[in-house]
Amino acid sequence: MFNINWSMVVENLQKGAIVMAFGITGVFAVLVVFYFLIKVLLKAFPEAKGEL
Amino acid sequence: MENILQELLVGFYALNWKTFLMFAIGAVLIYLAVKKDYEPMLLLPIGFGAILVNIPLSTVLSFEGEPGVLKVLFDAGIRTELFPVLIFIAIGAMIDFTPLFKNPIMIFFGAAAQFGIFATMLIAILFGFDLKVAAAIGIIGAADGPTAIFVGTRFANDYIGPITVAAYSYMALVPIIQPPVVRALTTRNERLIRMEYTEEKVSKAVKIIFPITVTIISGIVAPISVPLVGLLMFGNLIKECGVLERLSKTAQNELANLVTILLGITIGSTMQADKFLRVETVLILAAGLLAFVFDTAGGVLFAKFVNLFLKNKVNPMIGAAGISAFPMSARVIQKIASKEDPTNFILMQSVSANVSGQLGSIVAGGLILALVPALIALAL
């Protein structure tokens, strides 16, 4: 553990930064889709119409 | 004669300081569960499992060459990811997305508060962990036990014990971790911001179509996340469809209770002294704490950023409720708001953000599962 291979750490950091960038963007993107999904569903099935 | 004595006292001969330290750690977890009421459903079985597995010879893991009962449970329930996935059905049956439908804008706080997962992953890399293990440590910040176990099983089997203990312990400590971070990042005036709440009715059709559509969308975006999202939404569909009340109750009670018992004690069985008593465990516990701090900070700072563009400002404390620890985080935020102004009521908005956090955490878990192996395969 304490024999840290710094070149490996740097490589992992680079990959980690990419995971972070895509990860945060991805979570926001998916939740944006869910946001619009909720909006569309609420519009398409207002309470009176939506009772099955 | 000496051999017979040795055979009879084999348990005593195998004792060492590590055994007693692990007994003490198990006892502390049981104490926290019983006396402090910190996630007792999980911390008590984990604590007892930690004691069981460190009793000399660990016969619960193997005996005379045959796998012991906890090893069988581990292989059947954790290695196969069956237990966390079953827990997802139970959680799905307990989640009520109605507060989110009434306040859909809050969904973005559920995304911002996942920041801790990724920031902690980078810190874990700096500690010397490889990318997969670092990602599994980061997922502690999902504030969602089953997701932490699910990702941990895939990426960091050797560290599943400390990762799970950290995830559940810090979830229980949300009322202690979040308030100082929230106060440090907000002014009193910001904490006093009032938010309007409009009560909108939500139709049954929306509640039924939502889990099905979310499963399909998540599955297309990150197919690897289907066991996570799909089973959570399956549980939710059982609850919302209105014709499976018995199944819904079973998922919420019998299934949740049964799997929780087995999950807890099996996770405890990973806490063997040789695996648990190492520097890495301390680093994982420290990183886990940072994950919760970063989650809270990410949510609050995002809310402050959003306020730059809004006419009707949101109370930035709502951002901190975007973590998955439900409903604890929402309650904590309301408590801070009430302390500043007893007539300020932001619980419903906090609950909406909190429910979004439950969605955000599994989406983040799914994305981590998809992204990390892809990046590892990629030569930079």
Side-chain angles (χ1 to χ4, degrees):
Chain A
M1 186 77 212
F2 287 110
N3 296 326
I4 295 176
N5 178 347
W6 286 104
S7 64
M8 200 66 175
V9 169
V10 171
E11 192 188 323
N12 280 331
L13 271 178
Q14 286 174 331
K15 290 180 176 177
I18 297 172
V19 172
M20 186 175 190
F22 278 96
I24 292 178
T25 314
V27 176
F28 267 101
V30 173
L31 293 195
V32 165
V33 174
F34 291 168
Y35 170 77
F36 286 110
L37 171 68
I38 294 170
K39 284 281 186 193
V40 169
L41 287 176
L42 288 173
K43 206 142 209 145
F45 302 98
E47 198 201 2
K49 270 190 188 172
E51 290 315 319
L52 297 173
Chain B
M1 184 66 192
E2 203 175 307
N3 279 351
I4 295 171
L5 202 64
Q6 226 164 15
E7 193 88 0
L8 282 173
L9 299 176
V10 65
F12 288 93
Y13 283 117
L15 286 171
N16 58 44
W17 67 270
K18 287 181 175 177
T19 312
F20 289 107
L21 185 53
M22 287 311 297
F23 286 169
I25 291 171
V28 168
L29 293 176
I30 293 172
Y31 171 81
L32 291 175
V34 176
K35 202 74 185 165
K36 301 281 181 186
D37 204 25
Y38 288 168
E39 294 283 342
M41 299 243 297
L42 259 302
L43 288 192
L44 190 140
I46 290 176
F48 195 73
I51 292 173
L52 273 182
V53 83
N54 285 290
I55 289 174
L57 306 188
S58 302
T59 49
V60 286
L61 288 184
S62 70
F63 186 63
E64 294 180 346
E66 293 295 319
V69 61
L70 292 187
K71 174 85 170 82
V72 171
L73 281 175
F74 185 87
D75 289 341
I78 304 286
R79 209 179 287 283
T80 59
E81 297 158 359
L82 183 67
F83 289 164
V85 160
L86 288 176
I87 285 280
F88 276 121
I89 298 179
I91 294 174
M94 293 180 208
I95 293 183
D96 182 3
F97 287 115
T98 314
L100 177 62
F101 297 144
K102 289 179 178 175
N103 229 332
I105 195 78
M106 291 295 154
I107 202 163
F108 298 110
F109 297 117
Q114 308 308 320
F115 172 72
I117 296 175
F118 301 100
T120 306
M121 179 186 66
L122 294 185
I123 287 172
I125 290 172
L126 282 174
F127 283 164
F129 291 103
D130 68 40
L131 185 58
K132 270 191 170 180
V133 177
I137 294 170
I139 210 73
I140 294 170
D144 176 349
T147 303
I149 296 169
F150 192 87
V151 176
T153 313
R154 291 213 174 178
F155 286 172
N157 233 327
D158 277 353
Y159 300 104
I160 192 76
I163 287 172
T164 311
V165 169
Y168 280 106
S169 306
Y170 294 136
M171 273 160 64
L173 291 174
V174 159
I176 296 167
I177 299 170
Q178 285 204 308
V181 182
V182 170
R183 285 203 189 92
L185 294 173
T186 53
T187 62
R188 182 158 193 274
N189 282 343
E190 285 173 328
R191 293 196 292 274
L192 287 171
I193 293 175
R194 286 166 178 268
M195 292 173 71
E196 265 182 42
Y197 181 72
T198 46
E199 184 72 27
E200 271 183 52
K201 302 260 179 180
V202 179
S203 71
K204 195 173 163 186
V206 174
K207 292 181 185 177
I208 291 175
I209 296 169
F210 183 71
I212 300 169
T213 328
V214 163
T215 305
I216 294 169
I217 293 171
S218 307
I220 292 168
V221 172
I224 201 166
S225 72
V226 169
L228 280 167
V229 184
L231 284 251
L232 185 94
M233 292 301 157
F234 171 59
N236 190 250
L237 184 60
I238 289 177
K239 173 179 178 274
E240 299 296 356
C241 70
V243 292
L244 294 174
E245 203 177 325
R246 268 175 51 203
L247 294 193
S248 168
K249 280 189 178 157
T250 303
Q252 291 178 44
N253 299 297
E254 287 83 354
L255 180 68
N257 294 341
L258 251 171
V259 182
T260 302
I261 291 173
L262 299 178
L263 182 74
I265 202 158
T266 312
I267 290 295
S269 77
T270 63
M271 292 169 66
Q272 285 170 281
D274 292 339
K275 281 187 182 173
F276 197 81
L277 296 177
R278 44 188 178 174
V279 183
E280 288 93 321
T281 300
V282 180
L283 294 176
I284 290 170
L285 293 176
L289 178 60
L290 285 177
F292 276 68
V293 171
F294 287 139
D295 279 345
T296 308
V300 172
L301 293 175
F302 176 72
K304 288 176 75 136
F305 174 73
V306 168
N307 269 349
L308 295 175
F309 309 98
L310 291 179
K311 204 172 148 199
N312 293 327
K313 310 284 182 204
V314 296
N315 188 317
M317 293 196 296
I318 298 286
I323 66 169
S324 181
F326 183 87
M328 188 119 54
S329 188
R331 282 194 200 139
V332 168
I333 298 309
Q334 175 57 44
K335 211 169 161 188
I336 306 173
S338 301
K339 238 181 194 171
E340 299 288 350
D341 172 6
T343 62
N344 193 4
F345 193 72
I346 55 169
L347 183 65
M348 292 318 288
Q349 291 87 347
S350 305
V351 168
S352 305
N354 216 174
V355 172
S356 311
Q358 292 185 299
L359 264 182
S361 70
I362 49 168
V363 170
L367 285 169
I368 289 250
L369 286 172
L371 286 168
V372 170
L375 260 291
I376 286 173
L378 184 79
L380 289 180

